[in-house]
Amino acid sequence: MNASGEALEAARKALELFHDVSVDDDGALSFRHGDVPCAVQGMELADGLTVLSLTVVVAWDLVGDVATWVAERAGQGLFGTLGVISSERGTDVMLRYAFPADGLKPEPLSTLLMLVVSTASQVRGELLSRFS
């Protein structure tokens, strides 16, 4: 197993402490934190530098000045980066967080991942109360 596979395996074990996790054909992990769909991918950027990338779909099809709100909220400190994608159906909000994963054990990794997804769930609640 390569380094990114080992990191994904550690992430799977960490996430399974709290969630049902699916492993995709390419090794990526997917799970739901409440109503929030999440995915974890692994990549080896250089020898000895394995990175896990967590992508969370925070909210979708929102109407209103979501981009301004997200820009203001992003400045309040988050684990991860908020981004918006506009379409004809409305605005989608994503949270992305990438971090070096070499040597992280499942327990501290679960803490880190849960901080990110719980923040995403909190942001989702704020967005839905304001824009739906």
Side-chain angles (χ1 to χ4, degrees), residues 100-120:
D102 290 315
L104 282 176
K105 303 289 184 219
E107 292 79 13
L109 184 53
S110 69
T111 299
L112 180 60
L113 292 168
M114 289 304 98
L115 283 170
V116 177
V117 296
S118 62
T119 297

Side-chain angles (χ1 to χ4, degrees), residues 33 36-38 54-59 69 73 78-79 82 93-96 113-127:
H33 182 75
V36 181
C38 309
L54 173 62
T55 302
V56 182
V57 182
V58 177
W69 185 91
R73 179 63 171 90
L78 295 169
F79 280 98
L82 285 173
V93 179
M94 310 284 283
L95 184 131
R96 292 185 177 91
L113 292 168
M114 289 304 98
L115 283 170
V116 177
V117 296
S118 62
T119 297
S121 290
Q122 177 186 354
V123 170
R124 176 178 171 76
E126 293 170 18
L127 281 164

Side-chain angles (χ1 to χ4, degrees), residues 2 6 8 20-21 46 49 56 77 90:
N2 63 22
E6 291 173 8
L8 283 168
D20 292 326
V21 179
L49 179 57
V56 182

